Each structure stands twice: as structure tokens, then as C-alpha cells.
């Protein structure tokens, strides 16, 4: 039997397409959509309340299902009692209805979903970091490896945080127990991988927890560079070397940075008889702020003590201290440095003897032996090189006594030099300077060689002047930013910094007769001690001021006449012997001031 064909309207799709795209059908769809939106706006409160009641009902059923069977009876009795009380209270049912409607509206409100977990880009970064650590934190034969290619990075990374720009800000990762976290090479290798993958150009701190097998990476903020020289709130015997991270020290000081006053965490170096690190060594590259640090220390030391400066570079960086109260001398020549350091050595011995005698007599040490004396030597190796060329004594030899016995005699030695000439430092300087500072760009090996421990932070991308690391004895290695203390006599110094440093300088010491600073001799004349030191161990017989050439010419005559020539320092006394030649003898600073 033949099959009849279908109607044309059912076989041809063109009419159906025309009907679907007709204008009347489009208008109908638009009207239906508009009506639905209007109804949704009108009935939105009811929809919200209904959704809330449904959520409250579901929560009630879960609470009832989770209640033990032996507690369901008391719970039902309590609910029934509450319903009865509400029914008996005037307007109780109405108030209960209003309360239920409000609770439903609150529970049914639309809540913005909280985004949890990292984004897609952050997930890719964490996965890349995980894959980079696999070759270093995995081992063959591990039945359940924590790090494996294509493994689960969420098991290894316990905590992580990103900043607003999507860069890694904090990461806490776990590592296997068989990882050699006690070896520095293994640690450095992992730190280098994290530094490269987390993003260069920032400083990171690595905290190793060997007990829990965890490593925490934290991004550090840049240390402030706007803190200039100022009077810090410290007690006698405390010196502020600079400022560090807030979580590295347990103390803050009020400082003025720019136009605001704030609290900053300082690196405080304690000196004196009870100090375990009585002397300081500063190493760095040229122009990294070593002289700035020594100038800052000198300004702080002048508050409670006397300062003796040896400027081996001879550039006049300490010219602002010349002639100031408490500054015993600023020497840049070899002859003056030798004589001054020799006096400092004898002064240390004299203080030890005076203090020992006072204690044996059952009394307190004399006041003159308790006033701190600071010996600041900037680049002494430069003078040592000149001394070798001229076949004279090494100035560092006279630092041996102050370094060994300075703590008991209230004598503090501060030495600064460069990495290129650090090998020329004498053994006593290396052995007795327990407080160390490294300034400028330096590798982890260089920092370890100087401080005795590697830094736990990565080097900064840009190293400003005065930026480095400090370690006081066996304490942890700290980041350090030295307060800006430039030379006020330098034309390149800004006006604000010049005024800040000048305000800290003591007054000029000028005798009443207008002569230069000197010591009294017979006949009421004065001998300029500074020029006498520069001239050599002999001075002019007439006691008048002379230049370096004349004093040097008179030195052989003084030796022939049998005069006694002693090392001359800033606090030496000058007398005349029977032959009329000047005789120089050592004495304390306080005794010289009393005679003057």
C-alpha cells in the first residue's frame, strides 16, 4: 500500500522560521519578559520571606534530627510552652507572626558569595613554585612523596597570601623530614629557588622551623631612609647604630622623620663594663655609609664622654669635630696617629691602675677613670700601609691594649674599613670586635665571613647609603639602616641635614686669651698640642706655636740635650726640663683640664 505524503507545512521549515522571527512573536516575548520582571520586583519581598522560611525550616529539621532521642521530649515541651505563652500574651500571635516574617526576610536575603581560595593566576603561580621545589625536596623510594611532579600543591603549602597586585606576600610550606635543613647549602638552595619564583626586586625573610619541618617566607618592607641625625632617647652607655624591622627588636624610640614624629625600632649597642660587645667593627664598600655611621656614633658619644678620631683616609670627613668640646683630637697623619694612639694605650693602662688601687683601698674608682673614652679609627689600614712604606710602627699595634682592657677602663674602640683591605686588619682588631656591621651590597658568604652567620633575608634590589646588616655578639643578624649623618662642611649636604648635624655638635673650646687650644708651660706660654703631635715627639723649646717643619727640625736637638720625649696625645701635659727643652709627660684628660 502506498504511503501518503505529509502536508507541505510540516515538511517545509521556512514558514516555521518566518513565524519564529516574526515581529509579533518578538513583541510577545518582550512583553512576557517585562511582565515577569515586574512580577519579580513586586513579589520580591514575598519571595525573600519564603526562601528564608524554607531555610529556617530546613535548619529546624536538621537540629531536630541531630538532637538525641532522650532529649527530644524536653525540647518539645519547651517549644510548646513557648507557643502557649505567646498565645496567651496580648497581641502575642501578631507579634510572633511579625517576628517570624522578619526572621524569614533576614535568612532569605541574597548574600554575596565570598570568594575563597586563590584565583586562577595565583593557583598557577603556586603550582609553578611547587614544581620548582620538587627536584630539591623529593627523594627516590619515598612511598608517599610530599613533592612530586604533578602532585597536590595544597598538601605542601599550608598558608599563602597575595597582595593587591597578585604577588606572593607570605608562604608557609612543609618539607619532608629527611630534608637536610641543618646544612647551610641546602637552605641556601631552597631560598634561591623561592626568591627566583616568588619575584625578584623585593626583600624576603626565611624562617626555618626545624621542629615542625616548616619554612615561612615573608615579604619585608623597605627600611625607612628619612631618619636623620638627632638626639635619641637613650641612657648612658647606649648607642643607636640604626633602625631595623619592628618584629626583630622589642623596643622602639621616638624619632623625627621628615615632618612627622613616630616610633621606630632601633639597633642599640650597649658599651661599658657590663657589655659583652665593648668594641665595634664596620666593613663595607666605598660610599656605603661607614663614615656616616662613625660620625653618628661620635655625636652620640660626645654626650657623656670624650672622643679621639683617627681619620686614615685623610679626606677631612671629621673636620666638623675639630676644636669641639670633648673631642681630644682628630688625626689624619701617620705621626699624629701614632702619638695619639700611643697616648690612648698608656691612658688605658693608667685607668686600670688607678681603678685597681681605688678598689684595693676599699673606695670607688676615680671619676676621671669612669668617663667614657671613645677611639674612632676610620680606615686604619691606610695608615698601616704608609707605616710599612716608611718603616715605622703600625698604628694598629697601639690598639691592642684598648681592645683587650678597654671594657674595664671605660675605653671603647670603633674601627671601620673596606672589604678590599680587611685582610690588613690586625689580629687583636679581629678578635676583640664582637659587635659587627656590614654596609652596602654584599653576598651571603661575605656577610657570613664578617658577622659569623648568614643573613636570613635576601639582598635588596637597590642598596641606599647606610643600608646593611648588624650583629651584636651572638645575637641574630638584623637588617640595619644608619641614620643620615652627612658632613655638614660638605657642599653637597642638604640644608636640613646640615642643620640637624650642626645642632648636635658641642660648643667650640676656645681659651680666654684667644690663643689656640693648648696646655700651660713655664712663663705663661702655651704649646699647641695638636701641632706638637703632628710635629713628632719633640716640641719647641720656647713653648711657642710652630709649624710642622720647625718642630721636626728641633726634634734631634731635643734628643741630644737629654730631654725625655713621651708620646703626645690630645690630653698630654708639656713641661720644661733643666736644659730648657720641653718635656712631654702623659696625664689624664681630667688632670689636664684641671690645670688648664
Amino acid at each position: 500500500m502506498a504511503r501518503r505524503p505529509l502536508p507541505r507545512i510540516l515538511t517545509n521549515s521556512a514558514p516555521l522560521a518566518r513565524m519564529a522571527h516574526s515581529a509579533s512573536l518578538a513583541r510577545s516575548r518582550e512583553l512576557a519578559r517585562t511582565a515577569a520582571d515586574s512580577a519579580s520586583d513586586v513579589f520580591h519581598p514575598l519571595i525573600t520571606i519564603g526562601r528564608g522560611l524554607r531555610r529556617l525550616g530546613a535548619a529546624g529539621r536538621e537540629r531536630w534530627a541531630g538532637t538525641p532521642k532522650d532529649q527530644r521530649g524536653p525540647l518539645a515541651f519547651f517549644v510548646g510552652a513557648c507557643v502557649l505563652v505567646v498565645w496567651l500574651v496580648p497581641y502575642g500571635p501578631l507579634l510572633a507572626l511579625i517576628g517570624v516574617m522578619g526572621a524569614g526576610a533576614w535568612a532569605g536575603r541574597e548574600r554575596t558569595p565570598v570568594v575563597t581560595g586563590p584565583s586562577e593566576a595565583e593557583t598557577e603561580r603556586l603550582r609553578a613554585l611547587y614544581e620548582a621545589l620538587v627536584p630539591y625536596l623529593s627523594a627516590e623510594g619515598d612511598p608517599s612523596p610530599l613533592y612530586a611532579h604533578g602532585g597536590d600543591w595544597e598538601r605542601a603549602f599550608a598558608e599563602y597570601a597575595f597582595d593587591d597586585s597578585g604577588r606572593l606576600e607570605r608562604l608557609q610550606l612543609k618539607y619532608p623530614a629527611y630534608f637536610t635543613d641543618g646544612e647551610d647549602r641546602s637552605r641556601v638552595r631552597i631560598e634561591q629557588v623561592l626568591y627566583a619564583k616568588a619575584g625578584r626586586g623585593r626583600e624576603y625573610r626565611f624562617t626555618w622551623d626545624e621542629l615542625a619541618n616548616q619554612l615561612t617566607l615573608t615579604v619585608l618592607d623597605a627600611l625607612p631612609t628619612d631618619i636623620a641625625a638627632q638626639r635619641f632617647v637613650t641612657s648612658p652607655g647606649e648607642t643607636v647604630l640604626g633602625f631595623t624591622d619592628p618584629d626583630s627588636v622589642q623596643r622602639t624610640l621616638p624619632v623625627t622623620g621628615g615632618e612627622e614624629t613616630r616610633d621606630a625600632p632601633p639597633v642599640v649597642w650597649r658599651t661599658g663594663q657590663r657589655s659583652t660587645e665593648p668594641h665595634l667593627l664596620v666593613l663595607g664598600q666605598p660610599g656605603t655609609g661607614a663614615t656616616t655611621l662613625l660620625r653618628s656614633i661620635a655625636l652620640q658619644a660626645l654626650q657623656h664622654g670624650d672622643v679621639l678620631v683617627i681619620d686614615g683616609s685623610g679626606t677631612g670627613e671629621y673636620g666638623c669635630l675639630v676644636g669641639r668640646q670633648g673631642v681630644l683630637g682628630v688625626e689624619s697623619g701617620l705621626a699624629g696617629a701614632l702619638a695619639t694612639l700611643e697616648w690612648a694605650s698608656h691612658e688605658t693602662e693608667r685607668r686600670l691602675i688607678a681603678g685597681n688601687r681605688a678598689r684595693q683601698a676599699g673606695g670607688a674608682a676615680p671619676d676621671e677613670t669612669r668617663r667614657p673614652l671613645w677611639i674612632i679609627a676610620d680606615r686604619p689600614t691606610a695608615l698601616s700601609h704608609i707605616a710599612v712604606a716608611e718603616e715605622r710602627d703600625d698604628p694598629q699595634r697601639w690598639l691592642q691594649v684598648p681592645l683587650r682592657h678597654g671594657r674595664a677602663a671605660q675605653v671603647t674602640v670603633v674601627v671601620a674599613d673596606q672589604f678590599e683591605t680587611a685582610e690588613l686588619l690586625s689580629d687583636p682588631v679581629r678578635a676583640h670586635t664582637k659587635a659587627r656591621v656590614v654596609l652596602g651590597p654584599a653576598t651571603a658568604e661575605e656577610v657570613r665571613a664578617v658577622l659569623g652567620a648568614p643573613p636570613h633575608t635576601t639582598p635588596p634590589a637597590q642598596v641606599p647609603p647606610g643600608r646593611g646588616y648588624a650583629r651584636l655578639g651572638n645575637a641574630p643578624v638584623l637588617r640595619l639602616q644608619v641614620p643620615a649623618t652627612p658632613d655638614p662642611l660638605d657642599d653637597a649636604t642638604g640644608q636640613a641635614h646640615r642643620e640637624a648635624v650642626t645642632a648636635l655638635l658641642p660648643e667650640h673650646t676656645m681659651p680666654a686669651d684667644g690663643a689656640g687650644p693648648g696646655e700651660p708651660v713655664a712663663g705663661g706660654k702655651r704649646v699647641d698640642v695638636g701641632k706638637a703631635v703632628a710635629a713628632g715627639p719633640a716640641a719647641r723649646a720656647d713653648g711657642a706655636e710652630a709649624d710642622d717643619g720647625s718642630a721636626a727640625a728641633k726634634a734631634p736637638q731635643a734628643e741630644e740635650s737629654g730631654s725625655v720625649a713621651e708620646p703626645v696625645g690630645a690630653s698630654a701635659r708639656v713641661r720644661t726640663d733643666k736644659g730648657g727643652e720641653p718635656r712631654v709627660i702623659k696625664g689624664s684628660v681630667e688632670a689636664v683640664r684641671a690645670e688648664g
Side-chain angles (χ1 to χ4, degrees):
M1 183 176 180
R3 180 179 297 179
R4 298 181 58 183
L6 295 174
R8 185 177 180 182
I9 191 172
L10 298 178
T11 58
N12 191 1
S13 60
L16 295 176
R18 286 194 298 269
M19 292 178 60
H21 294 85
S22 62
S24 59
L25 184 59
R27 286 194 300 269
S28 300
R29 290 179 178 176
E30 186 65 24
L31 291 176
R33 188 181 296 108
T34 303
D37 293 341
S38 301
S40 176
D41 294 339
V42 172
F43 295 104
H44 180 72
L46 298 178
I47 296 174
T48 301
I49 294 174
R51 183 169 56 245
L53 293 177
R54 185 173 64 254
R55 291 176 180 176
L56 291 176
R61 287 194 301 271
E62 293 179 359
R63 179 64 182 274
W64 178 262
T67 303
K69 294 183 178 180
D70 57 345
Q71 297 181 5
R72 291 182 180 181
L75 180 60
F77 176 78
F78 176 75
V79 173
C82 292
V83 173
L84 180 61
V85 170
V86 171
W87 182 263
L88 297 177
V89 171
Y91 303 102
L94 180 60
L95 296 176
L97 179 61
I98 295 174
V100 171
M101 298 294 286
W106 176 260
R109 71 188 187 280
E110 296 181 356
R111 303 174 183 179
T112 303
V114 178
V115 179
T116 58
S119 61
E120 184 177 356
E122 295 172 352
T123 303
E124 291 297 330
R125 292 185 179 181
L126 292 175
R127 184 178 293 109
L129 183 58
Y130 174 82
E131 293 292 337
L133 293 173
V134 169
Y136 306 99
L137 297 178
S138 60
E140 297 182 359
D142 190 352
S144 179
L146 184 62
Y147 290 85
H149 292 290
D152 187 7
W153 59 267
E154 295 183 357
R155 291 179 53 203
F157 299 159
E159 297 180 7
Y160 48 85
F162 293 86
D163 55 10
D164 297 336
S165 60
R167 304 178 67 182
L168 188 64
E169 191 174 36
R170 176 182 171 83
L171 176 65
Q172 181 179 353
L173 59 90
K174 301 177 182 178
Y175 56 86
Y178 52 77
F179 175 71
T180 56
D181 53 1
E183 299 180 1
D184 293 337
R185 293 183 179 179
S186 302
R187 288 190 177 191
V188 171
R189 185 165 56 247
I190 299 300
E191 292 175 0
Q192 290 177 351
V193 173
L194 292 176
Y195 177 65
K197 293 299 181 180
R200 299 181 182 271
R202 297 182 296 174
E203 288 188 76
Y204 298 93
R205 170 182 293 168
F206 300 98
T207 304
W208 292 84
D209 187 359
E210 296 87 349
L211 185 61
N213 295 329
Q214 291 183 353
L215 171 61
T216 303
L217 177 146
T218 309
V219 178
L220 298 175
D221 297 330
L223 295 178
T225 58
D226 59 342
I227 301 178
Q230 54 192 282
R231 193 70 68 191
F232 300 113
V233 183
T234 56
S235 59
E238 293 183 345
T239 304
V240 176
L241 300 180
F243 297 90
T244 183
D245 300 305
D247 55 349
S248 299
V249 293
Q250 300 178 356
R251 179 179 178 181
T252 58
L253 293 179
V255 297
T256 301
E259 298 181 354
E260 61 177 3
T261 301
R262 64 180 186 272
D263 292 338
V267 179
V268 179
W269 173 40
R270 293 174 176 84
T271 58
Q273 294 184 352
R274 292 178 174 83
S275 174
T276 57
E277 306 87 19
H279 308 296
L280 176 68
L281 175 61
V282 182
L283 292 178
Q285 301 291 344
T288 55
T291 302
T292 298
L293 176 57
L294 265 61
R295 193 182 297 111
S296 174
I297 293 174
L299 293 177
Q300 298 180 59
L302 287 173
Q303 301 181 51
H304 309 286
D306 300 318
V307 175
L308 187 61
V309 180
I310 305 298
D311 185 9
S313 60
T315 57
E317 293 287 343
Y318 303 92
C320 60
L321 300 177
V322 176
R324 298 285 180 173
Q325 184 178 3
V327 180
L328 304 183
V330 178
E331 299 293 342
S332 58
L334 177 59
L338 284 173
T340 303
L341 291 177
E342 186 178 356
W343 170 86
S345 178
H346 291 302
E347 173 66 12
T348 304
E349 296 176 352
R350 189 199 65 81
R351 290 188 175 201
L352 290 175
I353 295 173
N356 188 23
R357 289 177 179 176
R359 285 190 295 269
Q360 289 180 359
D367 294 339
E368 61 181 17
T369 64
R370 290 183 294 180
R371 182 174 176 82
L373 173 61
W374 291 71
I375 303 175
I376 298 178
D378 192 356
R379 293 202 64 190
T381 56
L383 297 177
S384 300
H385 181 73
I386 298 175
V388 172
E390 298 182 2
E391 297 181 355
R392 304 185 66 177
D393 291 339
D394 188 353
Q396 298 184 63
R397 185 172 69 89
W398 296 106
L399 290 175
Q400 183 174 358
V401 174
L403 286 170
R404 289 185 175 180
H405 308 286
R407 179 173 59 181
Q410 295 291 338
V411 178
T412 303
V413 180
V414 181
V415 179
D417 221 296
Q418 299 178 2
F419 280 114
E420 292 77 5
T421 56
E423 59 183 8
L424 299 179
L425 293 173
S426 62
D427 292 338
V429 172
R430 297 169 181 266
H432 296 282
T433 51
K434 299 300 182 180
R436 302 288 182 89
V437 173
V438 176
L439 296 178
T443 61
E445 290 76 12
E446 293 176 342
V447 175
R448 182 184 181 85
V450 177
L451 303 183
H456 298 289
T457 60
T458 57
Q462 301 294 333
V463 183
R467 177 69 169 80
Y469 300 95
R471 190 188 188 198
L472 305 178
N474 297 325
V477 179
L478 304 177
R479 293 200 305 166
L480 179 70
Q481 179 62 50
V482 177
T485 315
D487 184 10
L489 304 180
D490 190 359
D491 297 337
T493 303
Q495 184 64 25
H497 287 168
R498 181 180 291 109
E499 293 177 355
V501 176
T502 305
L504 300 178
L505 291 173
E507 299 179 355
H508 280 282
T509 56
M510 185 64 64
D513 56 0
E519 303 302 337
V521 296
K525 298 181 181 180
R526 291 181 177 269
V527 175
D528 193 334
V529 176
K531 293 186 177 181
V533 172
R540 294 196 57 179
D542 55 0
E545 296 182 358
D547 55 6
D548 297 346
S550 62
K554 291 295 182 178
Q557 300 178 4
E559 294 177 0
E560 294 177 0
S561 61
S563 61
V564 180
E566 296 286 345
V568 181
S571 62
R573 291 176 290 176
V574 182
R575 297 181 181 175
T576 56
D577 58 3
K578 295 181 180 180
E581 291 294 337
R583 181 189 179 198
V584 184
I585 62 175
K586 298 179 295 297
S588 64
V589 179
E590 289 72 12
V592 172
R593 289 177 176 172
E595 292 188 5

